[in-house]
Amino acid sequence: MANDTNVGGPILKSQTVKHRPRTEDFKHTFKLFIKNELAFVGFVIVLVYFAIAILDYVYPSYLGVRNIDTVASWVPQLASGVPGAPTLAHGWWYIFGETEYFAPIFPVMLAALKTDITYSVAIVITGVLIGTILGTLSGYFGKLYDEVLMRITDIFFSVPTLVLAIAVTTVLGKSLTNVVIALIIIWWPIYARLTRGVSLSIKSNKFVEAATASGSSGLRNVFVHVLPNVLSVVFVQFSLDLGSIVQLFAALDFIGFNQGSPLLPEIGNMLTWGTTYLVAGIWWPIVIPGIFLLIFTVAINLMGDGLRDVLDPKLRR
Amino acid sequence: MILPSAVDWMELRYFILRRILLLIPTILGLSIFMFILIEAVPKAILVTPYINPHVQIPYIIQEQNALKLLGFNYPPPIAYLFYLDRLFHGDLGLMSMPGYPNSVSAAIIDALPNTIQLTIFASIVSIAIAIPLGTYIGARPNSVADQASRVFSLTGYAIPAFWLALLLQLALGKGTIFGNPFGVLPISGSYNPSLIPYPAPSWFVNGYTDPTHLVIFDSLIHGDIPLFFDALEHIVLPVLTLTYGLLAGILRFMRAGMVDASNQEYVKTARSKGVPEKLVIKKHIRKNAMIPTVTVMGLLVAGLLGGVVLVEYVFSYPGMGYLTTQGILSYQVWLIIGTTLVFGLILVMTNLVVDVVYALTDPRIRY
Amino acid sequence: MMQNSEGTKSDSDVYLRVEKLKTQFFTSRGIVKALDEVNLNIKKGEIFGLVGESGCGKSVTAQSIMYLVPDPPGRIVSGKIYVGNVNMLIGLDRLAKITIKSETNVKIKRNKRLIKRHNYLLSKIRGDRISMIFQEPTLALNPVLRVGDQISENIMLHLKIEMANAILRREMATRKDYESFVQKVFSIGDKDQRGKEILDWCENYSISDAEELVGNIFLTYQDPETIIKSLEFIVNERKSGTDINRLSRARDYYVYQQKLFEATLKLMEAEANGRQDEIESAKYELNEAKREGGTFLSFRVINIFMRRRIEAPLRDAAKRRVIELLTLVNISEPERAAISYPHELSGGMQQRVMIAMALASSPQMLIADEPTTALDVTTQAQILDLIRNLNRQMGSSVLFITHDLAVIAQMCNRVGVMYAGNIVEEADVNTIFDNPKHPYTIGLLRALPRADRIAGKMVKLDTVAGTVPNLITPPSGCRFHPRCKFKMDICEQKKPELDDLGGGHKVACFLYQEPGGSTQ
Ligand SMILES: Nc1ncnc2c1ncn2[C@@H]1O[C@H](COP(=O)(O)OP(=O)(O)OP(=O)(O)O)[C@@H](O)[C@H]1O
Ligand code: SF4
Ligand SMILES: [Mg+2]
């Protein structure tokens, strides 16, 4: 019976995180990860997206549209009056048709990926840094510091993310830079909570207790024992959040924070352009950018779930 | 040793009371947070709606008066107390947007029912579908139905709500794609204004209806059946959009919970008693599978409230989310802070309810 | 009955008979041949002990008997399990088609319709004729259901007809009934006989907690009139306004369901035998039984809406029985225990609850898979005592699984020794300890500290050298041969059969049999 029971374990059982050495066999993890085909496909797609973004920085001319000014300067190619439908007759730039300002969707889309990925990565990385440091310290030192930090994060969690982002951005002033700052401000508590939990459970680990008993200092302990373990959990959350942040960023741009930069190639902005022609039944300016966004978030989720399966010590068998 | 039984109603009452008391610091914290946001805004913008250009009082004087009224002539901690005092009196500040009342609270009171209506409809539809479907799928892991639902869950989780709303407008909206036989549903507003006779009936007050502020219910109450069906049509697409994401979320956890619970030892016990397979699933597995689902319900509702803002924006559905986005356009700080606060209160209340439901579903929770 | 036609000896004393049970796990690493043709015979009222090292397949045996092997990965591949006279594995080979391409590539095609029918059969046998106590009471009880509800679930599943009958008898009882009863009782001289008669009567009228009262009446009063009045009072008090018509209708419906089940079972047996004429007649009978269902149509419709009300008197009776059962397993505050959740009880209590649950519908056969391993020593002894007493009182058989020979010695009548998926020796408990035959059994007993040896001085305990073999690639022939001191050439080639040495002492070892005589 011992073999087949309690495989998943009751949800409520407190999960203890095993301390694993830093020289953890990375290859093995990667092999496990690749075994999960869906996760691997997701991983590849995400890589492609990042490659596009990077390529856009290095060789912008390969990918057509580069900046705000050029977007507005397109000459209608396909039809008069309204954006032209997808066609291959004018080269592959027009494969997805035209959007507002008669810009070809495909190259603008690629440029938009650069914008969105850059901003999102910047947001998540900053959030991770702030959150992880605060959370780890909080879990490790506990007491008043911990209490205060948790109450502060409580407040952040008591408002829906999007609404909070709207409020903070409005207060900071309506611009995309402020959207980025606002998203950082509201995103760090997630990581603070996460890392606090992990570092708490590691702190109660016999191993760290022993290290403390043998006289190594608290801060050293944090870096030697807690951080490496926290990082794998954070990494999973990071990869999953990238999808949410891209969406959130696009959504904020979509609902009206694009006023400062109405011509910026960005997915939310492109959707705003598309809505102009919604009632005319012109679907491609709406459908195409959304599909690019959807593929990215699906891929991110697949990858993140796969990563969690191999990195989460609770699930790893 | 036998401990007292878990669901003791007296104890539950104390539990709820304690949870409500615990809300107070959270709500105070929320108000402090909102106040910090207000403080970060230039004073000139804050006082704008308090200034009446039509009266013969110089701007400077009016501004001084407004600052004094709002308590901003004191240091921030005192100003916060002024703010808190105004909150207690239901005063969320002023706004000036054409077609809306001057008072933020009044505008929110007009819009709130619509938002609540959307979220509740979406929740009911999602839960009503997700629980039986999750039970069915969770009992048959890796079947065709399960694979299909995984795809559904994945896209539902990943699909941006506002894009889905646009897609639905294209696919099912009246007058978008020419000749689309499915394009039968209205794509904006909560009712068709041309159905309202001129002058509007007395229960149409400032474009909002009496007594519930919900066109669907008020038209029924006042016996206006065409308007009722029209309002019903208007709610379909927004609710559908919201349902997709929520349903996917609940389904995902429900399935995981089912699979996890069916591997537990007590399921073997149930079978060893001769419980028929159907009952094993319904009674023994599902009851346990609900527990993880309930725990994430708070998170899902938070997502839903975010989604409702986008959905209302796309469908111009006159709820709080739409109000907020209108506020962005014309920079109504008091309005946006006000709606944020109200959204926060709704979420806090929902979490309270979720906690209580959780305590009721899992007898192991001590309260 | 039908098993006679298959040429097996019908021993009317035997309640559980397991024949050539073969269970395998189809894992990604290969096929685990966990059980290799296990044979078991357990007599009525007997406690049969099953011992063996960890991983030898004791739990798999128990789960196979209950048909609880987790699927996937496990499946019973072949064999028969007779509980009473019903084969739990009827039509087993048609439930799923197993195509073995290689050790790691196995395709299993399940027949959903037949599996559904088989589940139906199982649900009628499990809990009713045979039930099981698990090793970990903490995991085996459903955390979100009250203990009482979990026990009464079993009762409501299997004892509806009996309960309905008892309630109807009581509700329809007249003064005359008591009078004649009292007259009869007074005519009995023997005190014990009289007590038994009274208990039977109470049982008959489903008066559980009145037993004591009735007993007192007979001790103190001698006047029949008074007694009749008291009885009437007790019985009347119970006349709770139950709708007799509806209840009797419900009873008829349950009886009809039972009939349907029996007809289905017959059909399944016929199909397993493969005789066309039998199948035809069984089908005809089933259809006849189904036709009767038409008369229950309106009841079924009402039952959908009013099930709770219709079953209310039954549930009350079940509740009373739960309390009785909890008292029976020595729980001090049965009323309170019944309304508590599993996590509110201690481990020992939980195991008592498990036992009460297993006994709820008085099964003839009880399987206990290491019921005390998770408990502390004192509780362990109490639980063992409890199982022994219950076995004596209720006369049901017990399959007692443990790896503790000391427990076997104090609990069991007969013992089976298991090694790597085979029963290698089976005998009376005394014979096993005094005169073990199989080299593995001898090794096991050597490892046991015994009083007579310890009395000498420090005795170094022997253990059986080596470890349990990997069951994906088990040793050929006798699975014990890599560890056996007496290994012969034949042991590697042939599998020894379980042969009777006389007096029910069976051994599967070539040391004790003509190597030529047994077949593969
Ligand atoms: N779900 C499963 N998947 C694969 N193999 C299994 C599974 N369950 C049991 N087995 C195998 O069946 C064999 C018998 O296991 P079983 O649990 O019956 O041992 P046991 O005699 O009960 O041991 P213990 O005393 O430890 O309970 C073992 O070799 C085990 O590997
Ligand atoms: S059959 Fe041979 S190997 Fe097996 S136990 Fe007997 S002597 Fe040993
Ligand atoms: Mg076992």
Side-chain angles (χ1 to χ4, degrees), chain A residues 1 4-6 8-12 38 154-160 162-164 166-168 170-171 173-174 247 250-251 254-257 259 268 271 275 278-283 286-287 290-291 293-294 297-298 301-302 305 308, chain B residues 26 29-30 33-34 37 40-41 150 154-155 157-160 162-163 166-167 169-170 175-177 187 252 260 263-265 268 292 302 305-306 309-310 313-314 324-325 328-329 331 333 336-337 339-340 343-344 347-348 358 362 364:
Chain A
M1 229 180 297
D4 46 71
T5 57
N6 197 23
I11 300 280
L12 295 171
L38 275 180
D154 268 352
I155 295 167
F156 279 89
F157 287 123
S158 64
V159 183
L162 183 79
V163 179
L164 196 55
I166 290 174
V168 176
T170 309
V171 164
K174 292 179 289 184
Q247 272 191 21
F254 178 74
I255 56 173
F257 289 112
Q259 282 157 315
L271 288 170
T275 49
L278 181 86
V279 282
I282 293 177
W283 53 266
I286 289 173
V287 173
I291 286 179
L293 180 52
L294 178 65
T297 42
V298 166
N301 272 301
L302 287 175
D305 285 347
R308 180 167 45 204
Chain B
T26 311
L30 192 59
F33 188 28
M34 293 301 112
L37 289 181
V41 177
R150 276 187 69 182
L154 194 62
T155 54
Y157 223 64
I159 206 166
F162 60 108
W163 183 59
L166 292 172
L167 278 192
Q169 284 188 336
L170 280 171
T176 50
I177 293 181
I187 60 170
R252 181 172 160 148
D260 190 65
N263 288 327
Q264 301 292 320
E265 194 78 358
K268 265 187 200 164
L305 288 178
V309 175
L310 298 169
Y313 174 71
V314 174
T324 312
T325 53
I328 297 172
L329 297 180
Y331 210 14
V333 176
I336 286 174
I337 299 293
T339 52
T340 307
F343 269 118
L347 189 56
V348 168
Y358 179 44
D362 191 349
R364 284 166 295 187

Side-chain angles (χ1 to χ4, degrees), chain A residues 141-205:
Chain A
F141 296 116
K143 296 194 190 104
L144 189 66
Y145 176 88
D146 184 42
E147 191 61 29
V148 169
L149 189 80
M150 285 308 105
R151 291 296 78 80
I152 290 176
T153 55
D154 268 352
I155 295 167
F156 279 89
F157 287 123
S158 64
V159 183
T161 320
L162 183 79
V163 179
L164 196 55
I166 290 174
V168 176
T169 317
T170 309
V171 164
L172 295 178
K174 292 179 289 184
S175 80
L176 276 192
T177 330
N178 285 339
V179 170
V180 173
I181 295 172
L183 285 179
I184 292 170
I185 289 178
I186 65 175
W187 215 256
W188 68 265
I190 294 180
Y191 298 104
R193 273 280 172 99
L194 196 67
T195 49
R196 169 190 177 259
V198 179
S199 76
L200 265 185
S201 73
I202 290 170
K203 192 179 148 192
S204 59
N205 206 329

Side-chain angles (χ1 to χ4, degrees), chain A residues 1 3-4, chain C residues 25 27 34 53-60 73 370 471:
Chain A
M1 229 180 297
N3 283 308
D4 46 71
Chain C
F25 293 90
T27 67
E53 279 167 292
S54 183
C56 69
K58 304 180 300 282
S59 297
V60 175
E370 307 196 19
L471 291 181

